[in-house]
Amino acid sequence: MSNKIKIGICGYGNLGRGVEAGIAHCPDMELVAVFTRRTSAFQTKSKVPVVHIDNANEWKSKVDVMVLCGGSANDLPVQGPALAKIFNTVDSFDTHAKIPEYFNAMDASAKSSGNISVISIGWDPGLFSLMRLYMGAVIPSGKTFTFWGKGVSQGHSDAIRGIDGVVNAIQYTIPSDSAMSRIRSGENPELTTREKHTRECFVVADNEADKGRIEKEIKEMPHYFDEYDTTVHFISEAELKANHGNLPHGGNVIHIGKTGDDNNQAIEFSLKLDSNPEFTSSVLLSYARAAYRLAEKGEQGARTIFEIAPILLSASSASKLTKDLL
Amino acid sequence: MSNKIKIGICGYGNLGRGVEAGIAHCPDMELVAVFTRRTSAFQTKSKVPVVHIDNANEWKSKVDVMVLCGGSANDLPVQGPALAKIFNTVDSFDTHAKIPEYFNAMDASAKSSGNISVISIGWDPGLFSLMRLYMGAVIPSGKTFTFWGKGVSQGHSDAIRGIDGVVNAIQYTIPSDSAMSRIRSGENPELTTREKHTRECFVVADNEADKGRIEKEIKEMPHYFDEYDTTVHFISEAELKANHGNLPHGGNVIHIGKTGDDNNQAIEFSLKLDSNPEFTSSVLLSYARAAYRLAEKGEQGARTIFEIAPILLSASSASKLTKDLL
């Protein structure tokens, strides 16, 4: 019997496949099964069993932590509380406005069964949120700015794909270098939405479609594009596949504040990710380790990233970390 | 009776004065006294009582957390274990090689009296160490690089001041932009000490002194300068006071690793500090808050930054942090 942490994955999209790939980098973990809502059979890359989610209860004693890889809009609000009754869980629930409600649902489920559920883990929410807390705690008289990109926004890409005559599309969110420079210089500017980010769209249109109309519909789309300076490029499906197939992303959290009489102190955290889903998966796995350890200590209920001591994330011992990293 | 966290400061140098200034930015804290080894009377900026360290025991019930602001070489190894028997403490002990030994001494003292001692808090060791842990836990197949500066190194400045004919000196450590760019690009270079940082010295010499000899002695000084490209400028005392009176510092921790098949993931944390001692003081205060809360929960013994859950640092409630920052 292996003493590795036994991981289950629920949902086998980009994120689930990223978790599967990430486990190969964690010698203290092993993947035991993938759980799915799908009824048609499929095989996973690592050839672990594929189990229908309705039969999850049969795996209760065989999975230490279930990594929930469903979507925040429809999957997690249902799957999360249901699976937290069976397993310790970790997820990347990212609908900011609904996090308090989701926390309460997960907390009730996890407590009812004596499990631990670590919610809203990833890079934003997740590491960026964590950095906002550290920065604000250390320099309380300061202001935190967040920039996203350059990277693909799935939501904005989907919104373009919904326009009549559009075959496919990828949208990049691009942070303004000049806005970031102004902040770093200590200027503390009031920035409009338009000044912080621009949007660049690569669109494959139907041969018949009116490109002028598509471009206008994109640029004027409420909430998604109307408050931004947006550039639209029409390209072929072949070019889209060749040059825009990855899902890069990243961003910067910048905190500027003063101490003493008038000394500027600047703290910055940034990510530059070739693969957004693989990075999110890696963060999920480090918090799966924390969930396992909290459960071992007998803790119960939901936790956010703020409540997890950093040492719980590392596979190394306290004395090794003190010696090597402190 | 105020319900603020009652802070004591031991040591009234740059760091102690920084803590005093920092408390003004923390509405949940108040400074109650400054403790000192000095026998001559002095007044603090905030006019709190100045107490000789030999009488610290009389303040046991009046101080919630003692912030130890002595030096790591001579003060803390003695004052730390002695004061941990009386108070909860937080310190910035930064002699890397001796941290495990210091941890054990502080742990024994704190446990003997039921106190909490949070050790080696600042930015390096401290926040940089913390970032190395997070980065390595999230992307385990990666490598972490640390760069320091641009900033004043007190140790190197002192080393120059020890040279015959030198009246005063300030030494800046400067990170190599090109080395950082190579790392960020995913190149994973093997960098020599010389390739990572350069050193720039501003020296006030005696009128009589041989500047050529001083410059040679600086550049060839073992450990401090001989492995670096060093520039030496001779300036007047007036110019030194006017242009080099602050203690700026900062640095970058960069972690690069791969996930999946071949995707580069880059994480970076950076500080740009107008005042190194004031920033360190601010970090100490946020961990003083954590020490207070751990003590309130009845925890005992020494802790490193790795063991402190981030939520303990913030003056805000869990629900407010979840709503505002997550």
Side-chain angles (χ1 to χ4, degrees):
Chain A
M1 193 66 184
S2 149
N3 59 4
K4 293 187 177 187
I5 302 172
K6 295 185 283 295
I7 301 289
I9 294 172
C10 184
Y12 199 62
N14 280 330
L15 196 59
R17 287 193 298 271
V19 172
E20 183 179 36
I23 289 171
H25 297 274
C26 300
D28 61 337
M29 296 184 181
E30 64 181 329
L31 178 62
V32 295
V34 167
F35 298 78
T36 180
R37 280 178 316 176
R38 297 185 223 175
T39 48
S40 54
F42 65 93
Q43 198 171 61
T44 62
K45 196 175 174 192
S46 54
K47 308 250 169 47
V48 297
V50 177
V51 181
H52 193 273
I53 197 170
D54 290 347
N55 303 322
N57 207 38
E58 296 164 19
W59 287 73
K60 186 175 166 64
S61 64
K62 288 176 262 182
V63 170
D64 292 320
V65 184
M66 183 70 83
V67 185
L68 309 183
C69 300
S72 297
N74 301 310
D75 301 331
L76 293 178
V78 179
Q79 291 173 4
L83 291 170
K85 286 187 182 152
I86 310 174
F87 305 103
N88 300 305
T89 67
V90 56
D91 68 59
S92 61
F93 184 81
D94 68 356
T95 312
H96 288 267
K98 293 188 175 168
I99 288 176
E101 181 188 330
Y102 184 71
F103 179 91
N104 290 337
M106 293 299 279
D107 193 50
S109 273
K111 280 181 178 156
S112 76
S113 54
N115 289 322
I116 278 282
S117 288
V118 184
I119 73 154
S120 299
I121 295 297
W123 59 273
D124 193 11
L127 297 183
F128 275 14
S129 322
L130 182 68
M131 292 304 140
R132 291 180 197 114
L133 191 159
Y134 275 118
M135 293 171 180
V138 165
I139 304 290
S141 306
K143 194 168 163 188
T144 309
F145 300 82
T146 305
F147 290 84
W148 293 271
K150 182 182 177 176
V152 172
S153 163
Q154 298 280 21
H156 288 80
S157 301
D158 286 344
I160 300 172
R161 289 183 198 119
I163 293 174
D164 195 43
V166 171
V167 176
N168 206 344
I170 288 289
Q171 193 269 187
Y172 294 95
T173 306
I174 302 167
S176 161
D177 283 334
S178 69
M180 287 195 283
S181 297
R182 286 174 65 193
I183 291 164
R184 289 185 193 115
S185 75
E187 193 189 317
N188 195 8
E190 287 294 330
L191 296 164
T192 64
T193 299
R194 191 176 300 275
E195 284 171 317
K196 288 186 69 184
H197 298 89
T198 56
R199 299 194 177 281
E200 186 169 23
C201 313
F202 294 86
V203 180
V204 182
D206 255 347
N207 281 338
E208 319 287 290
D210 174 353
K211 291 179 180 170
R213 176 201 37 94
I214 291 173
E215 182 165 343
K216 187 165 183 292
E217 281 193 38
I218 294 172
K219 290 184 172 176
E220 295 177 355
M221 194 184 298
H223 310 304
Y224 285 87
F225 293 98
D226 62 341
E227 292 180 58
Y228 297 87
D229 289 334
T230 302
T231 316
V232 178
H233 309 278
F234 289 94
I235 61 174
S236 68
E237 181 79 39
E239 197 182 334
L240 192 88
K241 291 266 178 287
N243 299 335
H244 305 282
N246 283 348
L247 294 168
H249 219 313
N252 298 59
V253 182
I254 311 173
H255 186 85
I256 305 281
K258 284 191 193 296
T259 59
D261 290 333
D262 193 31
N263 285 311
N264 274 316
Q265 313 282 23
I267 316 176
E268 181 161 350
F269 180 80
S270 66
L271 296 173
K272 192 157 174 271
L273 312 173
D274 275 3
S275 167
N276 179 3
E278 283 181 9
F279 186 82
T280 301
S281 303
S282 297
V283 183
L284 280 167
L285 282 173
S286 62
Y287 282 88
R289 185 178 290 119
Y292 174 77
R293 290 170 172 179
L294 290 171
E296 289 279 290
K297 287 202 261 181
E299 297 204 18
Q300 304 181 0
R303 298 287 184 279
T304 69
I305 198 164
F306 302 142
E307 298 164 284
I308 310 281
I311 199 162
L312 295 172
L313 307 180
S314 172
S316 296
S317 69
S319 60
K320 185 167 166 53
L321 291 170
T322 298
K323 188 169 172 290
D324 295 349
L325 302 184
L326 193 66
Chain B
M1 192 63 186
S2 151
N3 59 3
K4 293 187 178 188
I5 303 172
K6 294 185 284 293
I7 300 290
I9 293 172
C10 184
Y12 200 63
N14 281 330
L15 197 58
R17 287 193 297 272
V19 172
E20 182 180 35
I23 289 172
H25 296 274
C26 301
D28 60 337
M29 296 184 180
E30 63 182 329
L31 178 61
V32 294
V34 167
F35 298 77
T36 181
R37 281 177 316 175
R38 297 186 222 175
T39 47
S40 55
F42 64 93
Q43 199 173 61
T44 62
K45 195 174 175 192
S46 54
K47 310 247 169 49
V48 296
V50 177
V51 181
H52 193 273
I53 195 170
D54 290 347
N55 303 322
N57 207 38
E58 296 164 19
W59 288 73
K60 188 175 165 65
S61 65
K62 289 178 259 181
V63 170
D64 292 321
V65 184
M66 184 69 84
V67 185
L68 309 182
C69 299
S72 298
N74 302 312
D75 302 330
L76 293 178
V78 180
Q79 291 173 3
L83 291 170
K85 286 185 182 155
I86 310 173
F87 305 104
N88 300 305
T89 66
V90 56
D91 68 59
S92 60
F93 184 81
D94 68 356
T95 312
H96 287 268
K98 294 188 176 170
I99 288 175
E101 181 187 330
Y102 184 71
F103 179 91
N104 290 337
M106 292 298 280
D107 194 50
S109 273
K111 278 181 179 156
S112 76
S113 53
N115 289 323
I116 279 282
S117 289
V118 184
I119 72 153
S120 297
I121 295 297
W123 60 271
D124 193 11
L127 297 183
F128 276 14
S129 322
L130 182 70
M131 291 303 140
R132 292 180 196 113
L133 190 159
Y134 275 119
M135 293 171 179
V138 165
I139 303 291
S141 306
K143 194 168 163 188
T144 309
F145 301 82
T146 305
F147 291 83
W148 294 270
K150 182 183 176 174
V152 173
S153 164
Q154 298 280 22
H156 288 78
S157 301
D158 286 344
I160 300 172
R161 289 184 198 119
I163 293 174
D164 194 44
V166 170
V167 176
N168 206 345
I170 289 288
Q171 192 266 190
Y172 294 94
T173 306
I174 302 166
S176 161
D177 283 334
S178 69
M180 289 196 281
S181 297
R182 286 174 64 193
I183 291 164
R184 290 186 192 114
S185 75
E187 195 189 312
N188 196 7
E190 286 296 331
L191 295 165
T192 64
T193 298
R194 192 176 299 275
E195 286 172 316
K196 288 185 71 184
H197 298 90
T198 57
R199 300 196 177 280
E200 187 169 21
C201 313
F202 293 86
V203 180
V204 182
D206 255 346
N207 281 338
E208 318 288 291
D210 175 352
K211 290 180 180 170
R213 173 194 49 86
I214 290 173
E215 181 164 344
K216 188 166 181 294
E217 282 194 38
I218 293 171
K219 290 184 171 175
E220 294 177 356
M221 194 184 296
H223 310 305
Y224 284 87
F225 293 99
D226 62 340
E227 293 179 58
Y228 298 86
D229 289 335
T230 301
T231 316
V232 177
H233 310 278
F234 289 94
I235 61 174
S236 67
E237 181 80 40
E239 196 182 335
L240 192 87
K241 290 266 179 288
N243 300 334
H244 305 282
N246 282 347
L247 293 168
H249 219 314
N252 298 60
V253 182
I254 311 174
H255 185 85
I256 304 281
K258 283 190 193 295
T259 59
D261 290 334
D262 193 30
N263 287 310
N264 274 317
Q265 314 281 23
I267 317 177
E268 183 162 349
F269 181 79
S270 66
L271 296 174
K272 194 158 174 272
L273 313 174
D274 276 1
S275 166
N276 180 3
E278 283 181 8
F279 186 81
T280 302
S281 303
S282 298
V283 183
L284 280 168
L285 282 173
S286 63
Y287 282 88
R289 185 180 289 119
Y292 174 77
R293 289 170 174 181
L294 290 171
E296 288 279 290
K297 287 201 262 182
E299 297 203 18
Q300 303 180 0
R303 299 286 185 280
T304 69
I305 198 166
F306 302 143
E307 298 165 283
I308 310 281
I311 199 163
L312 295 171
L313 307 179
S314 172
S316 297
S317 69
S319 59
K320 184 165 166 56
L321 291 169
T322 299
K323 187 169 171 294
D324 294 349
L325 301 184
L326 193 66

